[in-house]
Amino acid sequence: MKQPGKYLFILVLCNVGELYFGKKFDTDLYLEKFGYLDEKEPGKQHDEHSRKSAIETFQEFAGLKVTGILNEQTLKMMLAPRCGLPDVIKPSDRIPPSGNKKANRRQPLQFNAPGYKWDKKQITYKFTGYTRQLPVSSQKRAIRNAFNKWEAVVPLTFRETTSSDADILINWVYRSHGDGSSFDGLGGTLAHAFFPGNSDISGDTHFDDEEVWTERSKEGTNLEIVAAHELGHAIGLGHSNVKGALMLPFYGGYDPNYKLHYDDIRGAQSLYGGRPAPRPTAAPRPRPTPRPTSRPRPKPTRKPDDEDTCNIKFDDIANGPDGRLYAFRYRKVYKFNSNGVGIERKFPRNVRKVFPKAPNNIGAAVYDRYHRKFYIFKGSRYWRYSSNFQLDSGYPKRVLGWYRGIQAALQEDNGEIRVLKGSQMSVWREDFSQPPRGYPISISVGWPGLRSDLEAAVRYGRRSYFFKGGNYFRYNDYYRKVDYRKAKAGPWLGCGRVEPK
């Protein structure tokens, strides 16, 4: 007899006026269950302020307009198919990273890794039953494809077995089925899974056989997508609030091109690390220049600012509010051509001619396209510029603690600004006085395969690029590995042989 473990995943569908867990739909009960409200003390009701704050937090988490009002759109989202795991930490348990209890306590988490993980690299799974709705071969293929999504990004191997001691047991069951978490028939719970661990039920994944399971169809419920979500839980992940993430608690229906979101990958790799990346290919050595027959004249000694454009190292490189790339070196700024290759005429220029009062020898630069602000960092201060390159009033300001002396920065597609220093990286916002919980982390964890002491970084053309000396690394964010290393003179500066980035 299997022992109950950590119950993890339930998908629930209700319609207005129908029952919710056997009771009339209760908004407070919903908000309590999913972490937005503390549970009521016996005989007490939630006050309107707490309820309004909880609704605002739910709206923020679900990507809705934040009003604090239980409107039709909000109620519709509450009644949508979703997971039974809480979305946020209950209000009484929330402590902001800074320890300031007056800070924003509504801020939802991104990927959530509660701490359960497998202590081995090869995980076995076994089918203990099937549904009659699909051929067995289709069911096996759907589960295998779902495992492949995770196997591609973490150093785990999933292998089907017929052994009785398989790590993950997979089955289609209905109603009460012996694990303390009953299914409720068509249109209700879709599936559930259990965290990794040492109990008999750890990792086991169950699908409700009274649902309509399908493949390659918008009708019914797509088995592979639900399985991929479930198996994310089975390897130790909780839920994300990032739009588009597979681990978002709301089931999104059939998508023939579904894939792991960057946030899903980052969560899994926070537990297990990334797949070992191939050793970057070294840039080809340039052919030696033939020695001249006559003695050359000695070259005059150059100052750093006289550095040849084709050989410059970047202090950092960043997107600009005008859609161009800007690279910094010593007291100069270089503006790239509109196609991202080569330097525009009239550049380089003194950095203060473009960014008033900016420092020389910057540490890092990044453009926040969501808020249309350009940041320059040096030492213990940072400068903020509006879209017209004007320094905002009250700047520069001080950066504190770990953030002093950052060396590079870039903004991810989800809006998160990531900063690098030495062998570590963290996320940064203006209201952060110290890295949030879980940071800083090693650069090799944030971007497996990258080295320490990177000098510059930028997100460009939906890819991430990192620079060191005369070379750059193109990073594959989906597979979490380095695509290659190249000399940057051609692809970026337009010198010599120009080739794609």
Side-chain angles (χ1 to χ4, degrees):
M1 180 71 176
K2 289 178 176 285
Q3 299 298 317
K6 289 286 185 179
Y7 173 66
L8 186 58
F9 185 56
I10 308 175
L11 284 167
V12 179
L13 174 63
C14 303
N15 295 316
V16 178
E18 292 185 347
L19 298 181
Y20 179 70
F21 290 162
K23 301 179 181 179
K24 187 176 180 180
F25 181 74
D26 185 331
T27 304
D28 286 357
L29 179 63
Y30 182 97
L31 295 171
E32 287 177 10
K33 178 174 179 59
F34 299 115
Y36 300 99
L37 283 173
D38 289 315
E39 294 181 5
K40 293 189 294 285
E41 296 180 12
K44 292 187 177 181
Q45 298 294 323
H46 293 293
D47 61 79
E48 289 304 315
H49 174 75
S50 298
R51 185 177 290 110
K52 181 175 184 292
S53 178
I55 293 171
E56 289 175 342
T57 307
F58 173 79
Q59 290 168 332
E60 184 176 15
F61 188 94
L64 305 174
K65 183 178 180 180
V66 179
T67 64
I69 300 171
L70 188 62
N71 51 31
E72 181 178 356
Q73 188 180 23
T74 303
L75 185 59
K76 183 179 179 180
M77 183 60 75
M78 287 182 173
L79 297 174
R82 62 146 300 131
C83 182
L85 191 70
D87 300 329
V88 293
I89 300 170
K90 288 181 183 266
S92 60
D93 294 331
R94 298 177 203 163
I95 301 176
S98 64
N100 177 9
K101 293 188 177 182
K102 294 183 179 180
N104 182 6
R105 291 159 60 89
R106 295 207 324 260
Q107 184 66 31
L109 299 175
Q110 291 182 320
F111 75 81
N112 177 23
Y116 302 96
K117 59 179 289 188
W118 296 104
D119 58 3
K120 53 187 175 181
K121 299 299 185 181
Q122 186 170 96
I123 312 300
T124 57
Y125 66 95
K126 176 184 177 181
F127 291 89
T128 58
Y130 300 94
T131 179
R132 295 182 179 180
Q133 301 177 53
L134 292 170
V136 169
S137 60
S138 295
Q139 298 171 61
K140 286 180 173 286
R141 179 169 57 250
I143 298 300
R144 181 66 256 176
N145 289 344
F147 274 121
N148 287 345
K149 294 291 183 181
W150 298 107
E151 191 173 287
V153 299
V154 293
L156 296 179
T157 300
F158 302 97
R159 179 177 60 84
E160 184 181 353
T161 182
T162 58
S163 172
S164 60
D165 61 353
D167 300 304
I168 297 174
L169 302 183
I170 298 171
N171 200 0
W172 279 257
V173 293
Y174 63 93
R175 305 292 170 159
S176 178
H177 50 278
D179 64 3
S181 302
S182 299
F183 288 136
D184 53 6
L186 180 65
T189 303
L190 296 181
H192 59 231
F194 298 83
F195 282 121
N198 297 318
S199 69
D200 289 341
I201 207 167
S202 296
D204 289 3
T205 303
H206 299 155
F207 300 91
D208 186 351
D209 204 14
E210 293 186 77
E211 302 297 335
V212 179
W213 296 105
T214 59
E215 63 173 340
R216 295 191 293 271
S217 172
K218 293 183 178 180
E219 303 298 324
T221 303
N222 182 265
L223 174 59
E224 182 179 327
I225 294 175
V226 172
H229 179 107
E230 296 289 345
L231 297 175
H233 293 316
I235 67 171
L237 285 181
H239 283 133
S240 168
N241 75 313
V242 174
K243 184 178 179 180
L246 182 66
M247 299 313 296
L248 196 72
F250 306 103
Y251 173 66
Y254 175 61
D255 175 3
N257 300 313
Y258 89 99
K259 60 182 180 180
L260 298 186
H261 187 277
Y262 165 71
D263 193 69
D264 303 314
I265 297 169
R266 188 161 62 98
Q269 292 184 346
S270 74
L271 292 172
Y272 300 101
R275 275 279 174 192
R279 180 176 296 180
T281 303
R285 294 182 179 181
R287 294 180 179 178
T289 303
R291 293 183 179 181
T293 55
S294 59
R295 177 179 294 181
R297 294 181 180 179
K299 293 183 179 180
T301 303
R302 295 188 305 177
K303 297 179 181 179
D305 280 359
D306 296 328
E307 191 172 21
D308 177 32
T309 298
C310 291
N311 296 319
I312 63 168
K313 297 200 307 182
F314 297 154
D315 291 332
D316 205 0
I317 181 172
N319 299 283
D322 56 357
R324 298 293 187 87
L325 287 167
Y326 289 83
F328 297 80
R329 182 61 172 168
Y330 295 121
R331 63 185 64 177
K332 290 183 179 181
V333 61
Y334 297 75
K335 181 179 180 179
F336 285 70
N337 291 318
S338 58
N339 64 354
V341 181
I343 305 302
E344 188 178 280
R345 293 181 61 186
K346 299 183 180 180
F347 280 82
R349 299 179 64 188
N350 185 287
V351 66
R352 292 182 180 175
K353 296 292 185 181
V354 182
F355 298 92
K357 299 184 179 180
N360 296 325
N361 305 332
I362 73 163
V366 65
Y367 177 58
D368 182 350
R369 63 187 178 279
Y370 284 81
H371 299 97
R372 298 183 181 179
K373 297 294 183 181
F374 194 99
Y375 293 95
I376 292 177
F377 300 82
K378 182 177 180 179
S380 61
R381 296 193 296 171
Y382 69 98
W383 289 251
R384 191 182 79 181
Y385 296 84
S386 295
S387 57
N388 57 359
F389 295 98
Q390 293 301 307
L391 182 65
D392 287 345
S393 177
Y395 290 83
K397 292 185 176 181
R398 299 190 69 82
V399 291
L400 304 174
W402 183 91
Y403 292 113
R404 288 194 293 264
I406 61 175
Q407 297 168 301
L410 78 166
Q411 186 179 45
E412 299 290 353
D413 290 346
N414 64 3
E416 180 181 86
I417 292 177
R418 309 182 88 181
V419 294
L420 295 78
K421 185 174 78 170
S423 63
Q424 295 183 312
M425 62 79 61
S426 182
V427 294
W428 177 84
R429 284 195 330 224
E430 283 201 64
D431 59 336
F432 283 0
S433 60
Q434 59 181 325
R437 187 175 303 158
Y439 290 94
I441 60 175
S442 170
I443 287 175
S444 63
V445 172
W447 295 284
L450 286 179
R451 61 178 66 181
S452 302
D453 294 311
L454 296 163
E455 296 166 344
V458 70
R459 183 80 175 158
Y460 180 73
R462 302 192 67 82
R463 293 186 182 274
S464 298
Y465 297 90
F466 300 86
F467 298 80
K468 178 80 171 179
N471 299 317
Y472 74 96
F473 302 84
R474 192 179 84 172
Y475 200 77
N476 189 315
D477 295 280
Y478 181 72
Y479 289 107
R480 307 292 289 152
K481 65 179 184 179
V482 175
D483 280 337
Y484 48 71
R485 185 184 75 177
K486 285 185 181 180
K488 70 173 183 287
W492 293 88
L493 298 171
C495 301
R497 180 184 176 184
V498 178
E499 55 183 310
K501 290 180 171 57

